[in-house]
Amino acid sequence: MEPSAAKGRAQGRLLAATSLDAKDELEERLERCVAITTSITSGLSEREANDALTAHVCKGPQQHEEVCLGLFTLLLTEPPQAQRCYRDLTLVNRDGMNVVLIKINQILMEKFLKLQDVCRTQLVWLVRELVKSGVIGADGVLMTLMKQIAGGDISNKNLWLAENVLDILVEQREWVLKSGMLVAMSVYTYLRLIVDHGTQSLLALRQREVDFCIGLLRERFMECFIIGRDLVRLLQNVARIPEMELLWKDLLHNPQTLSPQFTGLLQLLTSRTSRKFLACRLTPDMETKLLFMTSRVRFGQQKRYQDWFQRQYLSTAESQSLRCDLIRYICGVVHPSNEVLSSDILPRWAIIGWLLTTCTSNVAASNAKLALFYDWLFFNPEKDSIMNIEPAILVMHHSMKPHPAITATLLDFMCRIIPHFFPPLEGQVRQGVFNSLNFIMEKRVLAHLAPLFDNPKLDRELRSMLRERFPEFCSSPSPPTEVKMEESVPLEMDNHVLDKEDGCYDNTDATFSDDEEELNNKGKKREFRFHQIKETYIDEPADITAYVDQLDETLKEKVLQLQKGSDTETQCEVMQEIVDLILEEDFDSEQMSALASCLSELFKSHFRGDVLPEEITEESLEESVCKPVCLIFRNLCQMQEDNSGFSVLLDMLAELYQKQPKIGYHLLYYLKASKAAAGKMSLYESFAQATALGDLHTCLMMDMKACQEDDVRLLCYLTPSIYSEFPDETLRSGELLNMIVAVIDSTQLQELMCHVMMGNLVMFRKDSVLNILIQSLDWETFEQYSTWQLFLAHSIPLETIIPILQHLKYKEHPEALSCLLLQLRRENPTEEMVKMVLSRPCHTEDQFTTSILRHWAAKHDDQLGEHIKALLIKNNNMPRKRQSLRSSSSKLAQLTLEQMLEHLDCLRLSLSNTKNNCTSSTLAPASVFTQTPILQALQHVQASCDEAHKMRFSDLFSLAEEYEDSSKPPKSRRKAPATSPRSRKGAAPPANNEEDSASSSASEEEDSKPKAPKRKRKGSSAVGSDSD
């Protein structure tokens, strides 16, 4: 079997493959290049072969690429010819080896694992030769090759690659020192690999790696400084090695010996690590798989992908060290877009939680936890990203219910790392962790931390330590029942995951997957989250003991009365008395936080279920806002803004907002539904400025997002008021629009369209509609169709958004193209419209331009003809080299003469293909090519274009010739000989000169009288006739 299989393969095969694998496109192309190169040199001596190759590459770029890739492939697949091929390659290439470097990078990133062993060896040899030759760009190839050295892998192939790359770096040290990035990347790579090479058999390799890293760190420390804080993490892992221990002493006590610019360890720890370094320790295959899981795999369906990844990369004892690389990559590099964050895609915290559960050694587990919290230790909100610290807090939050041990060990680690990471910097570490937690609260990743830090599932000692370390976040501990998904504040950027199923590192619950699939099939993928939230409600009596003792006696008595009140009317009366107490001059504002905690607990049931009545009438709306919490809203509405009590009540509401974020959209509902609040919608702006967010746009978007998550009907009910009252916040971007169209159904869409048609709702305005529609191109299909329907309900001229055509690709944006096509069908074509339609790239499968041109030709042939004529003449008069640089009202609206001719030729073919089968009524579009303006413009173009275009569009130009032939006046026959090719050729120069000089007035002259019949392909005779 083996010999026959080998016999069936082509000699020198590049990639390893089974008989079932399809032929690789890259390999096929390279084999074709080999065949071309071999055919050129076959039977020639070395000198003759070199001359033949040189002559071939001089023919053009394609021939140059074929020869270079042919020699490159022979070099990889035929080791005996490698030296000769490399010599020929250096002699014949004309681009500094650029073609070869690009192909090496492609193979390293996409095909390296499939390379035959011989080819892999030859590829490393070639990289060595490129480095020796000092080829520009070889450093980039070497860094890509280093990326293929896998961490946590001591297989023979991986060790061979690590050793050979190290050989290149050591042998060509002087060359390496010329590239600061290569120095830093090499140190980062081999510091990480040293950890894997600790066994007795690998000590020699490890020593070479240590010597290499120490040499670069001592000689070029500031080049290594650009690595950032992760350099310290890697040095910590190898600190027990004697040479590294000496370096550590200098790093801590004599930093100036490393570099005069280096002031000490704190300078390095406060520098954020670039994504390039975090990504370089994952092979391209690992990176591809992780990115796939975080962008394509749905939450709840990840188990088989995780199992595959674990079998492939995490199944050996040595692979324990790889988990740190993966966690650092996920935290620092994988920053999903808002669309992914707000979808049901597998979140980052779930993957990290899974990685933590697969750690089988204490050392690996400690290192993994350090990797997770590393950006916390010296976090600076001004320089660092919330996305780097978000996974850790969400792992702890979501593990509390299904895996409390994970939450406990992470919280314990977070507390103990502060004094133990580096005792002299304990204050800075404490501040960094405090900054992280504070920023997490500020960005509403979690609504509050007390339920996490003071949860009964944690042991007493840990809870005591948390209170001691973080008193600022435990001062108002919430009862444990508050740790529910509905209490979390939805934030599009960061805590989409709070609404997802809590128990889930592998999540094998079939019910969850089935529910998800069923809802996805209905096209409302976000609605599964509402379903989950409603299932998690636990109706328990409110426990306010921890808060009520902090109130003075009068206020305490009222709060307890409120707790005991059984009916809504009684509760409202007591609540009014509490508001009156708050408005008294001697009210102690320090009680506000405790009072807000009491009220949020007591009114918890008010924020559950549907707010909007099933049947909307004046009575039902008024009844729906008769709740105790609405007393605060009503009192605010009745006050003047300059009243001292107004600001006190606003502060009270802002404090309540921190405890219960749903209060925001309930205030919006009250301001719209209550008669007492008529005309008071501006009150919400004052409320937004009083909150910790302090910004109307952010507050409004967060509240509408929370409303979207909880009650879609209420979202639609509020939409007209929100758009009309806050136009600057809602119309300038598509953020709110996306929230709406993501969850509405067809009935709600129709209702919104009716509001638009009646003038109650404006969702687009001219200055921003184009940008919003461009943003919508990345949304789901139904979301896009809904957006276009809402746009079409407005009376915005189509010319406003017609430049969007430049952004639309026929395979990627069918929704927008189909909506535009139907709308253009109803429009009378303007020159700008025709220009935009013709500006689309011409593709045989893209029928958009041809279809709309056919329709316009049938309905508006005169207008279409004039516009096409104007555009053809205008583009024909533009110098050829400048055509691609032109711009009109839209920067993207670039139209070339060639594009126009291609589209017109497609239209001609479309008409000719259907002509024989059409009825008389459908033949109307064919008359477009009998329109005098178009035929005149084609003649104008034909007279000045080059021979290549005349040949390519000969059939199109022949339509103009036929027209002229059919309208010859009798007197012109005496000049018939002038139409011969010979006479036309002789008369060409004066024709071009006269055409150029008369181009500005050509249109008017042609409209006033028919041209002389002699003008054909080159317009010389015609010019002569005009002169006559």
Side-chain angles (χ1 to χ4, degrees):
M1 294 288 289
E2 289 283 357
S4 62
K7 186 176 179 181
R9 288 176 178 172
Q11 191 65 27
R13 187 178 174 86
L14 187 69
L15 306 178
T18 67
S19 56
L20 298 177
D21 289 333
K23 190 77 170 176
D24 187 86
E25 288 183 12
L26 174 62
E27 187 174 20
E28 279 189 321
R29 177 155 186 257
L30 293 178
E31 285 176 355
R32 285 196 298 272
C33 293
V34 169
I36 292 169
T37 306
T38 306
S39 67
I40 294 171
T41 60
S42 179
L44 302 178
S45 65
E46 286 191 13
R47 180 185 291 272
E48 292 169 339
N50 188 261
D51 290 342
L53 292 174
T54 303
H56 190 71
V57 299
C58 290
K59 292 180 180 179
Q62 183 179 345
Q63 289 78 7
H64 174 265
E65 186 174 354
E66 288 169 351
V67 169
C68 289
L69 293 182
L71 291 170
F72 164 69
T73 309
L74 283 170
L75 188 153
L76 295 185
T77 56
E78 304 291 344
Q81 301 182 41
Q83 288 285 1
R84 181 182 63 78
C85 289
Y86 183 71
R87 184 197 63 208
D88 291 345
L89 195 54
T90 57
L91 290 172
V92 304
N93 89 89
R94 297 288 183 272
D95 63 351
M97 293 282 195
N98 191 49
V99 169
V100 174
L101 292 175
I102 291 172
K103 201 55 62 178
I104 293 175
N105 268 320
Q106 183 184 355
I107 289 174
L108 286 173
M109 293 299 290
E110 300 173 8
K111 310 291 182 185
F112 188 77
L113 295 178
K114 294 183 178 181
L115 276 181
Q116 294 277 16
D117 290 344
V118 171
C119 298
R120 189 180 287 114
T121 304
Q122 287 302 111
L123 188 60
V124 174
W125 177 86
L126 175 58
V127 173
R128 179 184 277 109
E129 294 302 311
L130 292 170
V131 171
K132 281 182 184 178
S133 304
V135 173
I136 296 174
D139 54 341
V141 169
L142 189 56
M143 284 189 276
T144 309
L145 184 61
M146 269 196 291
K147 187 175 171 68
Q148 284 291 353
I149 308 171
D153 181 0
I154 56 171
S155 63
N156 290 334
K157 284 184 179 180
N158 202 53
L159 291 172
W160 171 85
L161 183 59
E163 197 163 1
N164 274 272
V165 173
L166 184 61
D167 288 341
I168 297 173
L169 294 168
V170 173
E171 290 168 9
Q172 305 299 322
R173 182 182 175 82
E174 292 304 316
W175 175 82
V176 170
L177 294 177
K178 294 177 183 177
S179 170
M181 180 54 72
L182 181 58
V183 168
M185 199 71 77
S186 304
V187 168
Y188 190 89
T189 298
Y190 280 94
L191 276 178
R192 166 64 188 87
L193 293 174
I194 288 170
V195 176
D196 297 333
H197 301 159
T199 60
Q200 192 66 33
S201 60
L202 300 176
L203 288 181
L205 173 59
R206 190 181 80 167
Q207 189 58 48
R208 290 185 62 210
E209 292 169 339
V210 170
D211 294 341
F212 171 74
C213 291
I214 288 289
L216 288 182
L217 283 165
R218 288 196 175 278
E219 188 175 338
R220 294 299 177 91
F221 184 78
M222 290 315 290
E223 273 92 337
C224 300
F225 180 89
I226 65 172
I227 293 172
R229 60 174 67 114
D230 275 77
L231 176 60
V232 178
R233 183 177 63 86
L234 295 181
L235 286 170
Q236 282 178 297
N237 293 336
V238 296
R240 294 183 182 277
I241 299 172
E243 295 90 341
M244 293 294 180
E245 196 170 354
L246 293 173
L247 180 71
W248 260 109
K249 288 180 180 177
D250 288 340
L251 197 67
L252 298 176
H253 307 300
N254 301 301
Q256 298 289 309
T257 61
L258 297 173
S259 172
Q261 293 87 34
F262 182 51
T263 59
L265 194 63
L266 184 60
Q267 183 187 3
L268 193 53
L269 286 167
T270 53
S271 176
R272 182 178 170 185
T273 299
S274 167
R275 293 181 175 196
K276 293 179 182 177
F277 297 104
L278 299 177
C280 82
R281 283 295 73 239
L282 268 63
T283 66
D285 189 59
M286 291 180 196
E287 197 171 3
T288 301
K289 299 299 189 296
L290 268 184
L291 290 174
F292 178 84
M293 282 198 282
T294 54
S295 63
R296 302 287 294 280
V297 176
R298 284 178 175 158
F299 191 61
Q301 299 177 357
Q302 70 268 29
K303 188 175 188 305
R304 64 191 182 105
Y305 300 100
Q306 291 173 349
D307 289 346
W308 181 94
F309 196 96
Q310 184 157 359
R311 283 196 306 272
Q312 190 76 7
Y313 297 113
L314 301 174
S315 57
T316 63
E318 302 79 33
S319 65
Q320 292 290 318
S321 64
L322 180 60
R323 287 161 174 77
C324 297
D325 300 331
L326 296 170
I327 290 172
R328 292 298 296 142
Y329 177 83
I330 292 169
C331 291
V333 181
V334 182
H335 292 175
S337 66
N338 285 346
E339 288 76 17
V340 173
L341 286 172
S342 59
S343 70
D344 56 350
I345 296 297
L346 178 65
R348 297 185 299 161
W349 62 261
I351 299 179
I352 291 174
W354 161 67
L355 289 171
L356 291 172
T357 61
T358 62
C359 291
T360 57
S361 78
N362 291 333
V363 174
S366 296
N367 288 337
K369 285 181 276 188
L370 180 61
L372 179 60
F373 283 101
Y374 206 65
D375 288 312
W376 287 52
L377 305 183
F378 298 89
F379 184 80
N380 182 349
E382 294 181 2
K383 295 194 297 183
D384 293 305
S385 169
I386 184 68
M387 299 297 279
N388 290 12
I389 61 173
E390 179 225 48
I393 197 71
L394 292 181
V395 169
M396 294 188 286
H397 173 74
H398 287 281
S399 300
M400 182 65 81
K401 183 179 177 182
H403 303 285
I406 288 182
T407 301
T409 188
L410 290 176
L411 287 171
D412 181 75
F413 182 90
M414 183 176 70
C415 291
R416 296 182 189 279
I417 197 66
I418 294 174
H420 294 128
F421 178 75
F422 185 47
L425 295 180
E426 179 181 352
Q428 286 86 343
V429 176
R430 183 186 302 278
Q431 186 62 44
V433 175
F434 176 83
N435 288 344
S436 301
L437 292 170
N438 209 37
F439 205 50
I440 284 165
M441 294 280 288
E442 183 181 327
K443 292 295 184 182
R444 311 303 288 272
V445 176
L446 289 185
H448 28 252
L449 295 174
L452 180 64
F453 286 1
D454 196 30
N455 195 288
K457 291 189 176 183
L458 305 177
D459 64 70
R460 185 171 300 174
E461 183 183 350
L462 176 57
R463 289 161 68 186
S464 174
M465 183 163 57
L466 286 164
R467 279 194 292 270
E468 179 186 342
R469 291 272 192 267
F470 310 107
E472 304 89 347
F473 304 104
C474 300
S475 57
S476 300
S478 301
T481 55
E482 194 168 308
V483 185
K484 298 174 189 171
M485 288 183 290
E486 75 271 17
E487 297 295 323
S488 304
V489 182
L491 179 62
E492 185 174 45
M493 182 180 75
D494 295 314
N495 52 322
H496 64 292
V497 291
L498 303 185
D499 299 318
K500 294 182 177 178
E501 182 64 36
D502 271 338
C504 50
Y505 296 133
D506 54 10
N507 206 332
T508 55
D509 186 356
T511 305
F512 181 83
S513 297
D514 290 342
D515 287 347
E516 181 188 33
E517 289 170 12
E518 179 184 347
L519 288 159
N520 276 332
N521 290 338
K522 294 179 181 177
K524 298 181 184 177
K525 62 184 178 185
R526 290 171 176 76
E527 287 192 3
F528 81 90
R529 290 182 289 177
F530 311 145
H531 177 64
Q532 294 294 332
I533 290 172
K534 290 177 180 176
E535 284 191 343
T536 59
Y537 291 143
I538 302 172
D539 197 7
E540 296 178 353
D543 181 6
I544 57 172
T545 310
Y547 315 115
V548 77
D549 292 337
Q550 301 175 37
L551 305 176
D552 62 33
E553 288 303 318
T554 308
L555 199 55
K556 180 178 180 179
E557 181 185 347
K558 295 298 178 187
V559 169
L560 291 175
Q561 282 183 28
L562 189 64
Q563 184 181 27
K564 293 174 184 175
S566 55
D567 62 286
T568 303
E569 188 176 346
T570 304
Q571 286 184 326
C572 286
E573 291 174 359
V574 176
M575 187 64 207
Q576 183 59 54
E577 293 175 8
I578 291 174
V579 171
D580 293 339
L581 288 173
I582 294 172
L583 295 175
E584 290 181 359
E585 290 184 6
D586 59 347
F587 177 71
D588 184 1
S589 59
E590 292 181 1
Q591 299 182 84
M592 203 169 279
S593 177
L595 177 59
S597 297
C598 291
L599 295 178
S600 69
E601 281 298 307
L602 293 174
F603 298 152
K604 206 184 307 182
S605 60
H606 296 176
F607 298 102
R608 295 175 178 169
D610 294 334
V611 179
L612 194 65
E614 193 65 36
E615 185 178 349
I616 299 177
T617 62
E618 287 188 11
E619 293 77 14
S620 63
L621 287 174
E622 209 55 48
E623 185 180 348
S624 69
V625 294
C626 290
K627 295 177 181 178
V629 73
C630 295
L631 264 295
I632 302 176
F633 305 155
R634 189 173 72 185
N635 278 271
L636 278 169
C637 290
Q638 291 170 351
M639 289 182 179
Q640 298 295 324
E641 291 194 18
D642 54 358
N643 189 319
S644 59
F646 183 82
S647 59
V648 175
L649 263 189
L650 267 186
D651 291 341
M652 180 66 221
L653 199 58
E655 195 69 39
L656 188 58
Y657 184 58
Q658 283 193 327
K659 315 294 181 184
Q660 175 51 269
K662 298 184 182 185
I663 201 83
Y665 73 78
H666 278 73
L667 172 59
L668 286 169
Y669 173 68
Y670 178 85
L671 294 174
K672 177 174 171 64
S674 173
K675 291 180 180 178
K680 296 283 187 178
M681 188 63 82
S682 59
L683 175 64
Y684 179 81
E685 187 171 354
S686 303
F687 160 73
Q689 291 167 353
T691 64
L693 298 170
D695 175 60
L696 173 60
H697 180 78
T698 306
C699 193
L700 181 63
M701 291 304 117
M702 285 179 57
D703 290 340
M704 294 305 285
K705 182 68 176 173
C707 181
Q708 180 225 42
E709 301 268 341
D710 290 348
D711 191 342
V712 179
R713 286 183 66 241
L714 179 58
L715 177 72
C716 295
Y717 176 75
L718 291 176
T719 293
S721 297
I722 299 301
Y723 270 96
S724 61
E725 295 291 338
F726 308 110
D728 291 338
E729 311 305 324
T730 53
L731 296 175
R732 68 185 183 187
S733 74
E735 191 175 353
L736 179 57
L737 178 64
N738 191 19
M739 289 183 207
I740 295 168
V741 297
V743 292
I744 60 174
D745 58 26
S746 53
T747 303
Q748 291 159 340
L749 172 62
Q750 190 261 345
E751 290 172 358
L752 290 176
M753 290 175 67
C754 290
H755 281 300
V756 173
M757 298 285 287
M758 291 187 293
N760 301 330
L761 173 61
V762 177
M763 303 181 80
F764 300 98
R765 62 185 179 194
K766 288 185 180 181
D767 61 346
S768 58
V769 61
L770 178 60
N771 288 332
I772 292 175
L773 290 177
I774 291 171
Q775 289 175 34
S776 74
L777 298 178
D778 295 326
W779 301 351
E780 299 292 333
T781 294
F782 183 75
E783 295 171 13
Q784 288 194 54
Y785 277 129
S786 299
T787 301
W788 280 95
Q789 291 296 313
L790 289 168
F791 164 74
L792 295 175
H794 291 69
S795 299
I796 298 177
L798 196 63
E799 287 89 341
T800 308
I801 59 102
I802 196 69
I804 198 175
L805 272 175
Q806 300 294 302
H807 297 266
L808 304 182
K809 299 177 182 177
Y810 73 98
K811 285 189 176 180
E812 297 175 22
H813 307 123
E815 301 91 347
L817 281 170
S818 58
C819 291
L820 261 178
L821 187 65
L822 292 176
Q823 189 61 18
L824 284 169
R825 188 173 182 271
R826 300 185 179 95
E827 299 283 331
N828 288 340
T830 63
E831 185 173 329
E832 183 69 11
M833 284 183 190
V834 176
K835 177 181 179 180
M836 290 294 173
V837 167
L838 291 173
S839 296
R840 291 183 56 74
C842 191
H843 194 284
T844 52
E845 296 179 25
D846 185 3
Q847 300 294 319
F848 181 90
T849 300
T850 304
S851 60
I852 192 60
L853 287 178
R854 281 196 65 163
H855 176 77
W856 280 340
K859 302 291 184 182
H860 313 285
D861 54 343
D862 291 339
Q863 292 169 269
L864 181 64
E866 290 294 342
H867 296 326
I868 290 176
K869 172 189 173 180
L871 291 169
L872 276 173
I873 292 177
K874 193 183 299 181
N875 281 268
N876 189 46
N877 292 335
M878 184 71 65
R880 296 286 185 266
K881 292 182 180 179
R882 294 177 59 86
Q883 281 197 9
S884 62
L885 303 176
R886 301 181 292 110
S887 64
S888 66
S889 58
S890 168
K891 292 181 181 179
L892 288 171
Q894 296 178 356
L895 177 63
T896 64
L897 180 65
E898 186 170 358
Q899 265 182 314
M900 294 187 67
L901 293 175
E902 285 177 342
H903 284 305
L904 290 175
D905 205 36
C906 287
L907 178 60
R908 179 190 62 79
L909 286 170
S910 172
L911 294 171
S912 62
N913 289 340
T914 57
K915 185 175 181 181
N916 294 331
N917 298 324
C918 288
T919 64
S920 58
S921 61
T922 57
L923 282 174
S927 65
V928 70
F929 286 112
T930 64
Q931 288 285 320
T932 300
I934 290 185
L935 296 175
Q936 290 170 340
L938 287 175
Q939 290 173 341
H940 185 83
V941 172
Q942 183 187 19
S944 57
C945 68
D946 54 35
E947 291 296 332
H949 283 82
K950 288 181 181 179
M951 291 296 293
R952 182 178 175 189
F953 301 109
S954 59
D955 291 339
L956 184 63
F957 289 138
S958 70
L959 296 175
E961 292 176 6
E962 291 168 9
Y963 166 74
E964 291 291 335
D965 289 342
S966 67
S967 62
K968 288 178 182 177
K971 66 177 182 179
S972 66
R973 293 180 183 174
R974 58 189 176 89
K975 292 194 176 185
T979 61
S980 69
R982 190 178 301 274
S983 64
R984 284 204 308 271
K985 183 175 181 182
N992 290 338
N993 293 337
E994 183 134 356
E995 281 290 354
D996 291 341
S997 65
S999 59
S1000 62
S1001 61
S1003 179
E1004 289 80 5
E1005 293 177 7
E1006 287 166 349
D1007 286 340
S1008 62
K1009 62 178 181 177
K1011 292 295 178 185
K1014 297 297 186 295
R1015 187 169 71 183
K1016 295 189 88 173
R1017 288 192 180 273
K1018 292 241 177 204
S1020 56
S1021 303
V1023 173
S1025 300
D1026 289 343
S1027 300
D1028 292 342

